[in-house]
Amino acid sequence: MIRYIFKRLAMAFVTLWAVVTITFLIMHAIPGDPFAKEGKMPPAVYNNLMKHYNLDKPLIEQYGLYLKNLSQLDLGPSIKNKSRDVNDYIEDNFPVSLQLGVIALSCASIAGILLGMLAALKRNKWPDYLCMIIAIIGISVPSFIMATFMIQLFAVKLKLLPTSGWDGLPNYILPGIALSLMPLAYIARMMRSSMIEVMGQDYIKTAKAKGLSMGKVIRRHALRNSLIPVTTVIGTTLANLVVGSFIVEKIFRIPGLGKYFIQSIGNRDYPVILGTAVFYSAILIFVNFVVDILYVVIDPRIKLSGPQKNKKNKMLLNLQALFGRKEQIEKG
Amino acid sequence: MKRKLFALALGVVLAATSLVGCGSGNGTTSPEKGTENSTEGGGESGSTTEKIASLVSGGEPGSLHPALSQGTHESVILDHIFEGLMKRNQEEEIVPGMAEKFELSDDKLTYTFTLRDDIKWSNGDPVVAGDFEFAWKHALDPNTASEYAYQLYYLVGGEAFNSADVSAVSEDELKALEDAVGVKATDDKTLVVQLNQPVPYFTELCAFYTYYPVNAKLEAENPDWALDGATHVSNGPFSITEWNHDQNVKVVKNENYYNKDAVKLSGINFIISEDLNTDWQMYENNEIQANYNLPPDVLGKLKAENNPELVIPTELATYFYRFNTTKKPFNNLKVRKALSMAVDRQTLIDEVVQGGQLPAYAIVPGGVADAEGDFRENGGDYFAENLEEAKTLLAEGLKEEGMDSLSFSIVYNTSEAHKKIAEAIQAMWAELGVDVQLENVEFQVKIDREHQLDYEVSRAGWIGDYVDPNTFLDMFTSWSSQNDTGWTSPEYDELIKKAASEFDVAKRMEYLHSAEKMFMENLPVLPIYYYTRPMTVKPNLTGTFKPVNREINLTYADLQ
């Protein structure tokens, strides 16, 4: 067990190192630099800036310096923002993104599971169609349109909620809903098909034949089994949501981390690009690590070396969640 | 399988809750403090009414230290909390601010400023001449790495000090360079400034934020004073009390400000927001009283209904396209001229941009003083639109270059507004028989390609640094890092140089007019429109003004 943990830890560090190295190489390969602007930039000013941020040094030296600072958990300054460094961003802004992500995930899971169940049990009747219409809207309407529309309706017209900001509970409602719609729709559809499948199984028929009430059949047998694929989706969605949403954060003026994750690339803010990439990778690795350990603790039959295929699949799903999100943002 | 998934879910939930535990703690404490403060404010308002105006300043400020600030989202805040030796009043005149008066030597190279007697920092320290000397030298110090340091290159020794290679020179050498900079506080009230050459717009620069003072005593005690709202100290009409990152910057009236009786607001809440629709919704909801970030469709609607809250002040800025004059056939003046003449600017403004902009047939926008009157009005237009003539010119130009058709692309940085304009121009040029592709690239990539002259036509815009034709014209000298057109002319360079050292206003403006004329005869750029800054102001917010090269100013505003 101890040996397994050490092995996994070592793997985690290798993965992080690979993320740093690849990100470092890619970001220096794309054209532009943090100080490019339409305005004046006399050579002296440019040189001072390059020196100040150690960008005048050879790449290999910059890379070494970054790794050295990283080993001391120093993620470096933000070039665009002279008042805060990357550690400040993570300390101040990540908790907000996480909080929003968890709110959205809770909304999405609870409502998604309920809608999916309802749709499955009333299959091909109006509740099914209604639930699936909601799901289709959730998937097809982009969050920025939904967010702006909700502000217009609930804040400007009805004056029930604040337009934007992050000052307390009323502020959490609209962005929480806006961010939850997409995963909600996804979970509802998943839940529906899973439930339909389970309801057709022999053991459900057996349970019914035993004379159990419908409620008991659903609670005892159908629900638990149909939740299995859904929980997998919820797991990957969490990774997706805590990364923070650039669009929802921007529209609702939420001081989250998603904004910096995306904007840093456009700004060529090298330390922020690296810092956020490393941080998110570390979270993904950590979650995977905890889950794998828990597998072993709960089910001793699972070998410590683990079924490699499954793990790979999980990692893939996580990566897809991350990159799927970026594509979405670029399209938006 | 079942257990595994359960474990996964459990793990995820555990990880999440442990992190949320601390997250929500942090998240709720600071906002609570915020609401407490505002309710206290509301409570007091029974006797003395609290007048707090709100507006959106833009994105999160990168810095609120005068030496490190560099964008309008920062300067709109700095302009309310600091004051330079000179300032701009409601009538847009440059008048003494922290200075009581100044004297200019006969050779126009030495300014001697005398400071007012009753000036204090928001923490009660007196503002002394040494604070200016310190601030200017600090901005020029290569270790500060200020992006706007070049604004101080007019000072004797300024550029030399800023250009010092800190890894090569010794501390003593650096100190010697610093001491050689032409700004000296001879006593607490007197500041002597020496310039390299006469700078006719120097008093204007003294109102610019890189020239704002810094409390030298404070900077020595706490170099991080500008990082936090609680420790921030300034000398202007307002001072910062709170800086809630990515949310807002709150300023209150500075009771130590010498002209505090003219300040009627008790505070301003600068809201950090980067979404035009949200800004507009906050304005509609009365959460902000002024909004200069209007979504284009809202602007169109407001204009159509003649909304009284909409005001459209001019902006010191020009929107234009660069030609790469090193590339065939853009090396040919006739081709450049034909393309310039084939753009229907008024239609573009009315149908696409919709902000009441003014069509541009030159490079310097209106609102800049000439020797007498307005520089633009006196200079007039340098060409006229004419599609038929354009067709003839284009055919001639292409023939001269041995080409029979023209196909090229417009490079613009990704933005909905730039895209719409490029599409309209694409359609207009199609009437010339020109095949135009649109190429949107990231901002950084556009800048990079412009510097490399790796483009045919590229989109650009320029907001003047100071209110003078020079800020638009010296972009296109051979030594400018902003030229990027491949066009240079020794004659043009000579005119700009002559203008730079000429103190006789009439003569100087003559040089600048000649330079602009020469530039427009060569058309290395295609001017499209002069910007405006459409904004809405609620009727209960009165007394605001907008300097032509700055954002709205609420210093003398009042809230009913």
Side-chain angles (χ1 to χ4, degrees):
Chain A
M1 182 73 187
I2 302 281
R3 230 184 100 206
Y4 173 72
I5 292 178
F6 270 115
K7 212 172 123 194
R8 284 302 308 267
L9 267 177
M11 273 309 289
F13 277 106
V14 173
T15 315
L16 271 184
W17 170 80
V19 168
V20 172
T21 310
I22 295 170
T23 314
F24 187 89
L25 289 175
I26 293 176
M27 80 185 185
H28 280 285
I30 47 179
D33 68 65
F35 313 115
K37 59 173 186 178
E38 221 137 2
K40 276 197 191 89
M41 180 58 79
V45 171
Y46 184 77
N47 292 339
N48 288 337
L49 285 161
M50 292 296 273
K51 242 176 258 164
H52 192 82
Y53 293 103
N54 287 320
L55 295 173
D56 57 332
K57 297 197 166 68
L59 271 192
I60 185 77
E61 205 174 311
Q62 290 181 41
Y63 175 70
L65 208 63
Y66 189 80
L67 285 186
K68 192 179 144 231
N69 290 337
L70 186 62
S71 68
Q72 292 154 1
L73 293 180
D74 175 6
L75 295 172
S78 161
I79 296 175
K80 197 75 189 170
N81 187 326
K82 325 260 179 208
S83 304
R84 292 159 86 196
D85 57 31
V86 184
N87 290 55
D88 291 334
Y89 284 157
I90 289 175
E91 275 165 40
D92 299 343
N93 295 36
F94 177 66
V96 175
S97 284
L98 181 67
Q99 197 182 355
L100 177 62
V102 170
I103 291 170
L105 183 70
S106 315
C107 288
S109 321
I110 296 169
I113 289 171
L114 289 177
L115 282 180
M117 260 173 73
L118 187 66
L121 295 174
K122 305 279 176 195
R123 194 178 169 192
N124 293 335
K125 294 196 186 102
W126 69 264
D128 184 17
Y129 298 134
L130 182 71
C131 294
M132 288 307 110
I133 286 173
I134 294 176
I136 287 167
I137 292 175
I139 285 182
S140 49
V141 177
S143 58
F144 64 94
I145 290 185
M146 196 49 103
T148 306
F149 171 74
M150 286 197 306
I151 297 177
Q152 193 67 25
L153 182 64
F154 294 106
V156 179
K157 293 278 177 262
L158 301 176
K159 308 223 179 279
L160 293 173
L161 293 165
T163 54
S164 55
W166 198 246
D167 291 333
L169 197 62
N171 284 114
Y172 304 163
I173 298 171
L174 291 181
I177 295 174
L179 197 56
S180 73
L181 285 177
M182 178 83 93
L184 183 155
Y186 195 45
I187 290 170
R189 291 173 68 102
M190 196 102 190
M191 186 67 197
R192 178 179 177 271
S193 57
S194 160
M195 189 95 179
I196 287 172
E197 200 192 314
V198 168
M199 290 302 279
Q201 296 290 325
D202 288 344
Y203 59 83
I204 299 290
K205 283 182 199 149
T206 316
K208 278 185 192 161
K210 278 197 303 188
L212 284 183
S213 68
M214 197 57 190
K216 257 190 181 163
V217 172
I218 292 169
R219 252 180 294 130
R220 287 254 177 97
H221 300 280
L223 183 59
R224 281 183 64 181
N225 284 309
S226 49
L227 274 178
I228 292 171
V230 175
T231 38
T232 321
V233 174
I234 292 177
T236 53
T237 310
L238 179 79
N240 191 339
L241 289 178
V242 300
V243 173
S245 161
F246 172 61
I247 290 164
V248 169
E249 284 175 10
K250 184 168 158 258
I251 293 177
F252 290 101
R253 299 196 295 113
I254 297 167
L257 194 55
K259 182 173 87 170
Y260 291 102
F261 185 42
I262 302 299
Q263 284 182 343
S264 63
I265 300 169
N267 291 335
R268 299 287 186 275
D269 198 336
Y270 297 139
V272 183
I273 299 176
L274 273 173
T276 46
V278 169
F279 178 68
Y280 285 134
S281 311
I283 289 182
L284 283 182
I285 292 170
F286 175 73
V287 171
N288 277 325
F289 180 62
V290 170
V291 169
D292 281 350
I293 297 289
L294 280 176
Y295 280 165
V296 181
V297 172
I298 291 169
D299 192 345
R301 282 173 305 176
I302 293 177
K303 282 190 186 156
L304 287 183
S305 56
Q308 286 301 325
K309 208 176 148 207
N310 256 349
K311 255 187 240 159
K312 259 187 214 152
N313 281 346
K314 186 148 50 62
M315 197 62 193
L316 257 179
L317 270 173
N318 277 338
L319 283 176
Q320 274 168 357
L322 201 66
F323 288 106
R325 149 158 241 85
K326 291 197 103 169
E327 262 169 42
Q328 218 177 297
I329 286 160
E330 274 155 23
K331 274 181 210 151
Chain B
M1 183 66 188
K2 203 167 114 187
R3 281 201 175 183
K4 254 179 89 174
L5 287 164
F6 175 69
L8 174 96
L10 191 69
V12 161
V13 171
L14 273 182
T17 41
S18 63
L19 286 163
V20 179
C22 47
S24 54
N26 288 345
T28 43
T29 45
S30 57
E32 264 171 24
K33 232 166 45 195
T35 27
E36 256 170 40
N37 284 350
S38 58
T39 41
E40 268 171 31
E44 282 169 29
S45 65
S47 48
T48 53
T49 24
E50 288 273 294
K51 289 178 177 173
I52 309 223
S54 296
L55 76 155
V56 168
S57 56
E60 163 80 2
S63 173
L64 292 172
H65 190 297
L68 294 175
S69 297
Q70 46 167 323
T72 50
H73 62 300
E74 290 156 2
S75 69
V76 65
I77 301 173
L78 291 186
D79 288 345
H80 287 90
I81 60 175
F82 282 97
E83 188 172 297
L85 291 168
M86 309 295 285
K87 67 176 177 186
R88 205 170 263 280
N89 67 8
Q90 287 124 299
E91 283 76 43
E92 292 214 28
E93 298 154 340
I94 295 290
V95 295
M98 286 285 124
E100 191 178 24
K101 57 180 181 172
F102 67 89
E103 277 166 36
L104 178 58
S105 65
D106 290 338
D107 60 5
K108 317 280 185 195
L109 289 175
T110 308
Y111 282 83
T112 308
F113 291 93
T114 308
L115 267 58
R116 300 177 60 100
D117 283 328
D118 49 354
I119 46 177
K120 280 183 184 164
W121 290 96
S122 54
N123 67 352
D125 292 344
V127 178
V128 293
D131 292 334
F132 284 91
E133 181 185 342
F134 171 80
W136 296 6
K137 285 180 172 171
H138 177 69
L140 282 168
D141 190 329
N143 287 307
T144 307
S146 160
E147 280 187 42
Y148 259 19
Y150 70 84
Q151 300 281 3
L152 292 152
Y153 281 6
Y154 303 97
L155 306 187
V156 164
E159 187 166 3
F161 180 39
N162 190 241
S163 307
D165 183 350
V166 282
S167 51
V169 299
S170 70
E171 246 173 70
D172 290 341
E173 283 169 310
L174 195 65
K175 184 82 182 64
L177 283 169
E178 181 178 349
D179 291 342
V181 174
V183 54
K184 186 102 198 98
T186 49
D187 58 59
D188 277 356
K189 290 287 156 207
T190 316
L191 189 75
V192 181
V193 182
Q194 282 175 304
L195 307 181
N196 286 317
Q197 57 179 42
V199 181
Y201 44 87
F202 188 70
T203 51
E204 151 100 41
L205 287 172
C206 285
F208 188 76
Y209 52 91
T210 317
Y211 283 76
Y212 285 157
V214 162
N215 187 332
K217 203 175 122 212
L218 177 73
E219 177 103 21
E221 288 164 9
N222 175 17
D224 292 337
W225 62 273
L227 300 187
D228 190 355
T231 53
H232 200 282
V233 170
S234 55
N235 70 328
F238 298 90
S239 64
I240 300 183
T241 49
E242 281 178 60
W243 180 1
N244 302 306
H245 294 297
D246 298 303
Q247 298 189 72
N248 54 44
V249 176
K250 290 180 178 168
V251 305
V252 296
K253 183 175 174 178
N254 177 6
E255 291 301 334
N256 287 322
Y257 182 57
Y258 67 90
N259 197 15
K260 67 174 179 198
D261 293 340
V263 179
K264 291 167 204 103
L265 291 177
S266 45
I268 306 172
N269 188 2
F270 293 98
I271 292 175
I272 295 163
S273 167
E274 291 176 274
D275 191 274
L276 299 185
N277 288 320
T278 307
D279 295 351
W280 175 245
Q281 285 168 325
M282 281 193 282
Y283 180 81
E284 271 190 300
N285 218 17
N286 228 342
E287 289 171 43
I288 54 175
Q289 285 77 40
N291 180 22
Y292 49 78
N293 301 312
L294 296 169
D297 41 350
V298 169
L299 178 60
K301 189 175 142 253
L302 293 174
K303 270 198 76 182
E305 67 191 29
N306 246 331
N307 194 305
E309 289 173 25
L310 176 71
V311 277
I312 306 189
T314 55
E315 177 96 319
L316 189 72
T318 308
Y319 192 100
F320 58 91
Y321 278 180
R322 279 191 170 87
F323 289 119
N324 180 356
T325 61
T326 63
K327 251 195 186 148
K328 239 173 124 174
F330 303 102
N331 55 335
N332 191 303
L333 177 61
K334 284 179 181 162
V335 174
R336 300 200 295 267
K337 214 167 179 177
L339 292 173
S340 306
M341 288 166 78
V343 173
D344 181 352
R345 290 162 178 78
Q346 197 59 52
T347 306
L348 183 80
I349 290 163
D350 292 342
E351 305 297 329
V352 183
V353 209
Q354 300 188 336
Q357 288 82 354
L358 296 164
Y361 304 97
I363 192 76
V364 179
V368 181
D370 203 340
E372 265 172 59
D374 184 89
F375 186 87
R376 179 73 283 123
E377 277 170 28
N378 296 349
D381 295 343
Y382 282 105
F383 64 95
E385 290 160 10
N386 185 334
L387 190 61
E388 289 316 308
E389 207 185 321
K391 280 181 182 164
T392 325
L393 273 172
L394 184 70
E396 284 174 25
L398 288 178
K399 205 173 159 199
E400 284 170 23
E401 298 306 316
M403 299 167 77
D404 45 14
S405 66
L406 182 54
S407 166
F408 63 92
S409 61
I410 302 175
V411 174
Y412 62 93
N413 50 308
T414 311
S415 134
E416 203 46 44
H418 299 328
K419 186 178 152 204
K420 282 184 184 161
I421 293 170
E423 281 170 352
I425 291 181
Q426 180 187 35
M428 290 167 186
W429 281 346
E431 286 180 44
L432 272 184
V434 176
D435 173 35
V436 181
Q437 285 93 47
L438 303 185
E439 192 181 352
N440 73 318
V441 296
E442 218 193 348
F443 181 71
Q444 299 272 344
V445 176
K446 180 184 90 86
I447 302 268
D448 201 57
R449 285 180 54 181
E450 284 176 336
H451 286 339
Q452 314 281 343
L453 288 174
D454 174 22
Y455 72 94
E456 287 152 325
V457 173
S458 88
R459 174 263 132 197
W462 179 242
I463 305 172
D465 273 340
Y466 42 86
V467 190
D468 190 275
N470 194 55
T471 180
F472 289 89
L473 295 171
D474 78 349
M475 275 198 284
F476 300 100
T477 54
S478 60
W479 60 82
S480 163
S481 60
Q482 291 173 280
N483 188 322
D484 292 344
T485 59
W487 177 85
T488 56
S489 153
E491 269 174 82
Y492 184 80
D493 290 355
E494 196 51 42
L495 284 168
I496 298 293
K497 270 190 203 159
K498 272 188 189 158
S501 53
E502 178 58 66
F503 222 83
D504 181 81
V505 184
K507 263 194 194 154
R508 184 169 170 271
M509 287 299 168
E510 221 180 283
Y511 290 134
L512 291 172
H513 275 300
S514 314
E516 192 187 34
K517 182 162 180 278
M518 189 181 165
F519 182 71
M520 290 311 299
E521 279 167 2
N522 283 286
L523 280 174
V525 306
L526 180 158
I528 298 173
Y529 62 74
Y530 306 121
Y531 281 79
T532 50
R533 194 64 158 143
M535 59 171 91
T536 50
V537 180
K538 292 275 180 198
N540 62 343
L541 181 68
T542 53
T544 64
F545 69 104
K546 188 205 169 293
V548 68
N549 61 339
R550 298 296 242 287
E551 297 294 8
I552 187 170
N553 195 304
L554 268 56
T555 303
Y556 309 107
D558 200 356
L559 194 65
Q560 262 90 43

